[in-house]
Amino acid sequence: MKTTDWFTSWFDTAYYHILYKHRNDEDAQFFMRNITSFLNLPESNHIADLPCGKGRHSVYLNSLGYKVTGGDLSKNSIDYAKQFENESLDFEVWDMRNPIQNKYDAIFNLFTSFGYFDDDNEDITILKSIKNGLKSNGVFVMDFLNVEKVKNSLVKQETKTIDGIEFQIEREIKDGFILKHISFIADNKQHSYTEQVKFLTLEKMQSYFEKAGLRIKHIFGDYSLNEFNTNTSDRLILVAK
Ligand SMILES: C[S@@+](CC[C@H](N)C(=O)[O-])C[C@H]1O[C@@H](n2cnc3c(N)ncnc32)[C@H](O)[C@@H]1O
């Protein structure tokens, strides 16, 4: 594995968590309540939250009664999340490109945690591995962005000052990826990172899922679980078996 991939370095920094500290946990919890009740998941279920970041969904799902395992490539995030562990909640450093060893009732991939890799086969390998990690009646939930809406409402330049750090952000769509260039000065150093998320339309996702042997059962466009609309939906949420 290359250790210089953007997602290995950027997500492991404190700066990533500073830039995204205002993300809406209420929305995340609202979504978790809606999706678990829509899927009718019994409390005895074991859910894998992959990747879990610092564990915000995992902790909440566990508070709803589920047994939860959160996994993430970022050691710093997992070290942080471990403070919340209990007998039905555990966290581990986990590279989703590796085969999944256990079988879960549900696997959740939340908040645009997919489409980072150049090679389509790598994306499909992850989906195959997720399929193999599901029990026979298990369910997979992917919460991705709606790339068409992102394209139509792209904010090309933006400055955000958070905790005294001025983040200069530039966005573009290039070579099949949505690129977010982030530069800032912190701790007396100039830093530059580029987030890179593949421009995965619903059609492309459908072909990925098919190749991985995952059958899509529901397609939602937001955390209230309204129907997906290519032009207006904020999210692309896929539920598959
Ligand atoms: C946008 S964040 C979302 C995290 C979490 N789901 C949340 O909502 O807070 C994406 C996460 O993917 C993780 N990640 C990136 N590549 C990964 C990989 N190959 N295996 C596991 N996790 C990975 C990053 O470390 C980061 O925490």
Side-chain angles (χ1 to χ4, degrees):
M1 188 191 82
K2 287 184 285 170
T3 50
T4 50
D5 296 311
W6 72 268
F7 47 86
T8 307
S9 47
W10 169 231
F11 288 130
D12 209 35
T13 66
Y15 309 122
Y16 158 72
H17 292 288
I18 291 171
L19 178 60
Y20 289 99
K21 73 189 290 186
H22 301 298
R23 68 180 141 204
N24 194 330
D25 281 350
E26 243 169 63
D27 270 4
Q29 297 183 359
F30 174 73
F31 177 38
M32 291 301 93
R33 281 197 301 276
N34 287 345
I35 197 76
T36 49
S37 85
F38 174 83
L39 295 170
N40 224 351
L41 294 183
E43 278 188 16
S44 57
N45 271 193
H46 189 181
I47 302 175
D49 176 16
L50 178 67
C52 65
K54 283 180 161 180
R56 59 196 184 121
H57 295 97
S58 299
V59 170
Y60 185 68
L61 285 165
N62 182 244
S63 79
L64 295 180
Y66 298 106
K67 178 174 161 65
V68 183
T69 298
D72 199 286
L73 187 64
S74 162
K75 185 176 178 311
N76 283 330
S77 293
I78 292 300
D79 284 348
Y80 177 88
K82 274 187 173 290
Q83 68 183 294
F84 305 113
E85 282 188 335
N86 60 45
E87 66 285 348
S88 58
L89 173 64
D90 68 308
F91 292 98
E92 56 192 77
V93 174
W94 184 347
D95 189 331
M96 61 181 164
R97 289 168 293 183
N98 295 336
I100 297 179
Q101 304 301 338
N102 287 334
K103 296 276 184 202
Y104 297 92
D105 298 291
I107 299 179
F108 288 2
N109 176 278
L110 304 170
F111 203 66
T112 321
S113 295
F114 190 74
Y116 299 157
F117 317 112
D118 292 322
D119 184 353
D120 284 9
N121 288 320
E122 213 160 6
D123 292 329
I124 295 164
T125 301
I126 290 170
L127 293 176
K128 281 184 179 158
S129 156
I130 284 171
K131 181 181 175 266
N132 290 333
L134 289 174
K135 290 182 184 167
S136 56
N137 211 19
V139 62
F140 173 50
V141 176
M142 177 187 279
D143 160 34
F144 196 65
L145 40 80
N146 175 9
V147 291
E148 298 294 353
K149 176 140 187 220
V150 170
K151 185 169 87 179
N152 295 334
S153 56
L154 196 71
V155 179
K156 291 198 173 144
Q157 271 191 324
E158 197 182 2
T159 303
K160 278 188 182 176
T161 304
I162 306 166
D163 289 359
I165 302 176
E166 194 175 279
F167 293 94
Q168 305 287 346
I169 300 170
E170 288 184 12
R171 298 182 182 82
E172 60 175 334
I173 296 174
K174 198 173 152 196
D175 301 332
F177 283 87
I178 299 168
L179 303 179
K180 186 167 168 183
H181 306 287
I182 303 155
S183 53
F184 53 94
I185 295 169
D187 299 316
N188 299 318
K189 268 172 57 184
Q190 173 73 43
H191 302 263
S192 297
Y193 294 94
T194 296
E195 291 181 3
Q196 170 184 313
V197 176
K198 204 173 279 179
F199 196 88
L200 293 170
T201 59
L202 172 59
E203 292 68 32
K204 183 93 180 187
M205 279 293 195
Q206 282 168 324
S207 90
Y208 270 13
F209 274 56
E210 202 173 305
K211 286 189 180 114
L214 284 162
R215 275 173 295 121
I216 295 175
K217 297 283 182 190
H218 306 280
I219 305 171
F220 301 116
D222 58 34
Y223 295 150
S224 300
L225 307 186
N226 288 307
E227 208 176 299
F228 177 74
N229 177 298
T230 311
N231 298 315
T232 57
S233 292
D234 287 324
R235 308 297 298 170
L236 170 62
I237 298 165
L238 301 171
V239 176
K241 294 242 172 185

